[in-house]
């Protein structure tokens, strides 16, 4: 009799546990909209940026154009040797590169540039050359690559001597070109590289570099390599040609 009572007690307890579990499951069962709310993230809330058609984003720093506040300086001295007229900046050949007074890390850069129509006797890398150096080290090539044969990893839109553009999106000389560039700076810890830099380039609305890994400092001769550094200026190159720039702005991204 005791054994039977014990078995009955175990059965009753088990039934209670099962029923309680079933009741709990019924109580926890949520409506689809309640389940959906579990994956909603409410913070942080993105800040509002005005981006009207044809206008500079409200959080951008204007480097060439209306509203620019003398952001450039010569790499060689404390002067500003290039020509700035009607919001168009033009290289003064032989005066050297210029750089921003402000340092940058990760950025979105918009830059419009134009090469002269005069190309007589100019071929390859001599066809109206310039460049944009991110952190004064990593160059995106500027060159008249319209019907102009040169080594592909040195044509317009290349990560110079590192990455060939996916396509050649050049317009004829004398027409304005545009670059929209996303640059992610390399990361260093204890002077050692822990993450390389990456770059995406859109040339005249066409993707030509798709999150390409930067192999190191731009060099003309030899292999690229990294050297530890922090945030640094943007730099425009004087290659001895009358290349012009307009509507240049930059948006710092993150820290």
């Amino acid at each position: 009799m005791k054994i039977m009572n014990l078995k009955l007690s175990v059965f009753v307890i088990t039934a209670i546990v099962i029923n309680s579990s079933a009741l709990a499951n019924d109580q926890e069962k949520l409506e689809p909209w309640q389940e959906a709310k579990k994956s909603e993230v409410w913070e942080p809330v993105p800040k509002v940026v005005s981006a009207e058609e044809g206008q500079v984003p409200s959080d951008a720093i204007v480097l060439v154009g209306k509203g620019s506040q003398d952001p450039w300086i010569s790499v060689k001295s404390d002067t500003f040797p290039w020509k700035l007229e009607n919001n168009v900046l033009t290289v003064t050949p032989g005066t050297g590169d210029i750089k921003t007074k402000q340092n940058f890390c990760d950025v979105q850069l918009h830059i419009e540039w134009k090469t002269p129509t005069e190309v007589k006797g100019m071929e390859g890398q001599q066809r109206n050359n310039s460049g944009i150096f991110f952190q004064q080290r990593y160059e995106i090539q500027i060159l008249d690559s319209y019907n102009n044969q040169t080594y592909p990893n040195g044509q317009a839109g290349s990560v110079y001597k590192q990455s060939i553009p996916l396509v050649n999106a050049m317009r004829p000389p004398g027409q304005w070109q545009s670059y929209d560039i996303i640059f992610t700076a390399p990361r260093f810890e204890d002077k050692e590289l822990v993450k390389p830099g990456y770059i995406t380039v859109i040339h005249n609305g066409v993707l030509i570099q798709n999150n390409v890994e930067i192999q190191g400092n731009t060099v003309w001769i030899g292999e690229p390599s990294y050297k530890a550094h922090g945030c640094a200026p943007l730099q425009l190159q004087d290659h001895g040609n009358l290349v012009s720039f307009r509507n240049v702005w930059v948006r710092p991204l993150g820290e």
Side-chain angles (χ1 to χ4, degrees):
M1 180 65 69
K2 290 183 179 180
I3 294 175
M4 290 184 61
N5 288 339
L6 179 60
K7 289 182 177 180
L8 180 62
S9 298
V10 170
F11 174 79
V12 171
I13 292 171
T14 303
I16 292 172
V17 170
I18 292 173
N19 288 337
S20 298
S21 177
L23 180 61
N25 288 336
D26 288 340
Q27 291 175 342
E28 291 177 1
K29 188 175 182 180
L30 302 176
E31 296 294 328
W33 66 269
Q34 292 173 312
E35 290 288 353
K37 287 186 71 66
K38 291 181 179 180
S39 58
E40 294 175 359
V41 178
W42 285 77
E43 291 182 348
V45 178
K47 70 177 182 179
V48 176
V49 173
S50 173
E52 300 296 330
E53 184 176 358
Q55 301 297 316
V56 175
S58 59
D59 64 343
I61 299 167
V62 177
L63 299 177
V64 180
K66 293 181 179 179
S68 58
Q69 299 294 317
D70 190 28
W72 299 94
I73 193 169
S74 170
V75 169
K76 295 180 178 180
S77 67
D78 293 333
T79 63
F80 179 71
W82 290 17
K83 181 180 179 181
L84 181 59
E85 189 175 59
N86 297 324
N87 295 317
V88 174
L89 177 64
T90 302
V91 177
T92 301
T95 60
D97 294 5
I98 60 173
K99 65 179 181 178
T100 58
K101 296 176 182 178
Q102 183 172 344
N103 293 334
F104 297 100
C105 283
D106 300 351
V107 295
Q108 173 190 352
L109 175 70
H110 175 84
I111 185 167
E112 297 174 20
W113 54 277
K114 180 175 70 172
T115 60
T117 56
E118 180 56 52
V119 297
K120 186 177 179 179
M122 296 180 177
E123 295 181 353
Q125 292 294 300
Q126 302 308 313
R127 181 76 70 82
N128 294 314
N129 191 323
S130 183
I132 307 160
F133 288 82
F134 290 82
Q135 298 188 316
Q136 296 189 274
R137 293 166 174 84
Y138 314 110
E139 182 186 11
I140 295 298
Q141 174 73 308
I142 287 176
L143 185 74
D144 178 6
S145 294
Y146 186 82
N147 293 332
N148 177 33
Q149 187 174 3
T150 188
Y151 45 91
N153 66 347
Q155 74 177 58
S158 64
V159 182
Y160 186 73
K161 287 288 185 79
Q162 296 187 30
S163 177
I164 297 172
L166 297 171
V167 295
N168 183 342
M170 279 292 299
R171 295 169 181 159
Q175 294 188 20
W176 285 102
Q177 320 276 340
S178 69
Y179 283 163
D180 288 283
I181 302 173
I182 307 299
F183 171 75
T184 303
R187 268 49 175 180
F188 302 90
E189 289 182 6
D190 298 325
K191 297 185 178 182
E192 295 294 327
L193 179 71
V194 294
K195 184 178 180 182
Y198 290 87
I199 199 158
T200 295
V201 182
I202 297 174
H203 183 191
N204 294 331
V206 179
L207 181 67
I208 63 169
Q209 300 284 357
N210 188 12
N211 197 35
V212 169
E213 180 179 324
I214 298 171
Q215 299 168 26
N217 291 10
T218 295
V219 291
W220 181 39
I221 299 173
E223 296 296 323
S225 61
Y226 279 104
K227 293 182 180 179
H229 63 85
C231 299
L234 294 164
Q235 184 168 318
L236 295 179
Q237 184 183 42
D238 167 20
H239 201 275
N241 301 120
L242 294 169
V243 179
S244 296
F245 303 89
R246 72 176 186 185
N247 296 338
V248 183
W249 50 262
V250 63
R251 295 182 62 246
L253 303 175
E255 296 181 359

